[in-house]
Amino acid sequence: MRRLNRKKTLSLVKELDVFPKVPESYVETSASGGTVSLIAFTTMALLTIMEFSVYQDTWMKYEYEVDKDFSSKLRINIDITVAMKCQYVGADVLDLAETMVASADGLVYEPTVFDLSPQQKEWQRMLQLIQSRLQEEHSLQDVIFKSAFKSASTALPPREDDSSQSPDACRIHGHLYVNKVAGNFHITVGKAIPHPRGHAHLAALVNHDSYNFSHRIDHLSFGELVPAIINPLDGTEKIAIDHNQMFQYFITVVPTKLHTYKISADTHQFSVTERERIINHAAGSYGVSGIFMKYDLSSLMVTVTEEHMPFWQFFVRLCGIVGGIFSTTGMLHGIGKFIVEIICCRFRLGSYKPVNSVPFEDGHTDNHLPLLENNTH
């Protein structure tokens, strides 16, 4: 009984077979079919390689939501070189809540030479070239996000030559923690001192002829420091043409959570517009000479996540490629063969010309071929 049940089961399974086996003696091969098969296999191989490269690649997914974090502090990372001696300049932050953050809380004033060495100039030109490409091709930002990791660095390389020139500039670098409200980070003449109505700078003791706010921004970012990320103002250099000159940067900061396969960080992206003008009270241009960076925070937060194609989707697409090419090439081969047969049949029928008919006396014609008589004589 068990053997009978097994035989019935096997016969039932055989009846469900949708892949019938055709004996080789019944299969007819042709040169055209072999050519189409070769083209089909080549196409499948190329598309499979391309699909595998797509499967290996990743892309960045952007999601937007309202930023509900108002209590935490915002970190500002600064590395700016000003073409004035350190005892003549001061930097601090004043926000809309009238909270003053002095530079002594996290910034370092380092005497240096303003002119760059040849290697540093090459680094700056390369960084400015990347900045110009980023403005034209925004998709490059995704490549930077995916390649970001904490061990890399885009900072200005150290000077490779021993310059005998005395320091004529001041490098202000470090970081500050400020409230998550709009504020103004500025560098101007004199050290900052607290004031009941805000703050002030001791500029009276500085000679007016020594004002020179030519500057170079080697790095400016907000949030967690991710060295491999290139920010919009990195590599910027401005040369002052007058002693009384104001440089203004209006910055809009967007909180960003970055999640890639290499790094996860809470950083910030920002966009910036620039303006510079000469202070001339007689001409109606009022203000204070210096470098002013006015920043404002966006209410939206961006989550950038690196995603990868799942394996099941890659497998389905691969099966679609193989099955689709087999079906399509089979149909094209059948249609081409049918067209060729029609053309050849018409050509063969046109090669036979009718023989002249022999009329009968009653008006009918004889379309049969005349019989040939064998002359035996």
Side-chain angles (χ1 to χ4, degrees), residues 142-212:
D142 292 350
V143 179
I144 294 176
F145 279 152
K146 289 190 288 186
S147 62
F149 52 96
K150 294 184 178 181
S151 61
S153 178
T154 57
L156 181 70
R159 183 179 292 271
E160 75 280 2
D161 57 347
D162 296 331
S163 177
S164 59
Q165 183 180 355
S166 60
D168 59 350
C170 183
R171 179 190 175 197
I172 305 173
H173 61 96
H175 61 272
L176 297 173
Y177 287 96
V178 299
N179 299 320
K180 291 189 68 174
V181 295
N184 183 4
F185 169 77
H186 52 273
I187 303 173
T188 187
V189 178
K191 301 299 180 180
I193 58 175
H195 193 272
R197 296 184 179 179
H199 74 293
H201 289 261
L202 291 174
L205 302 178
V206 182
N207 187 6
H208 185 270
D209 294 334
S210 63
Y211 286 16
N212 184 5

Side-chain angles (χ1 to χ4, degrees), residues 54-72:
V54 172
Y55 171 70
Q56 286 185 318
D57 194 15
T58 59
W59 61 89
M60 306 307 294
K61 179 182 179 182
Y62 292 82
E63 296 177 337
Y64 302 89
E65 59 180 316
V66 177
D67 185 16
K68 300 178 182 179
D69 184 11
F70 304 106
S71 58
S72 62

